[in-house]
Amino acid sequence: MAPKYGVLALVEAKPGKEQEVWDFLNEGRDVVLKEPGTQTWYAFRVNEYTFGIFDTFDTEEARQAHLNGAIPAALGEHGPTLLSKDPDIKLVELIAVK
């Protein structure tokens, strides 16, 4: 079954905090490995200051469990020191998946 739901989150590092954001996202992989409902999880860099997370889920319940989980909680805790503004989080519906 192809995933139907996703989350796209873009974050902007404060100047001088780029490596810390990189490390935070890299360490997030270990957290989501423990989430059975998270089908795929990508952390990526767009440019010098902008980073993102994209993850997919089979059900809305799995997506909500993730949104109530450790990664968003850690973003809420560490975001004020690492990020220049609040994360831009979009809930997406997947149309086609390969």
Side-chain angles (χ1 to χ4, degrees):
M1 176 161 106
K4 296 182 180 192
Y5 305 93
V7 175
L8 174 63
L10 296 176
V11 298
E12 188 172 313
K14 286 183 176 179
K17 298 290 186 176
E18 301 86 1
Q19 186 61 51
E20 289 179 59
V21 172
W22 177 289
D23 294 341
F24 173 83
L25 294 175
N26 193 40
E27 292 166 7
R29 181 182 180 276
D30 291 335
V31 173
V32 295
L33 284 174
K34 299 172 187 165
E35 296 179 353
T38 302
Q39 297 304 309
T40 60
W41 186 85
Y42 302 90
F44 56 91
R45 186 176 204 163
V46 177
N47 58 41
E48 183 178 359
Y49 298 108
T50 306
F51 296 81
I53 299 170
F54 179 70
D55 28 29
T56 65
F57 312 89
D58 290 338
T59 67
E60 178 61 30
E61 292 78 18
R63 178 165 62 179
Q64 289 304 314
H66 173 76
L67 290 171
N68 293 320
I71 296 287
L75 267 175
E77 179 182 344
H78 299 289
T81 60
L82 297 177
L83 306 178
S84 62
K85 58 184 177 181
D86 289 340
D88 179 12
I89 299 172
K90 306 277 190 227
L91 302 182
V92 300
E93 184 177 356
L94 302 176
I95 297 170
V97 177
K98 176 183 179 208

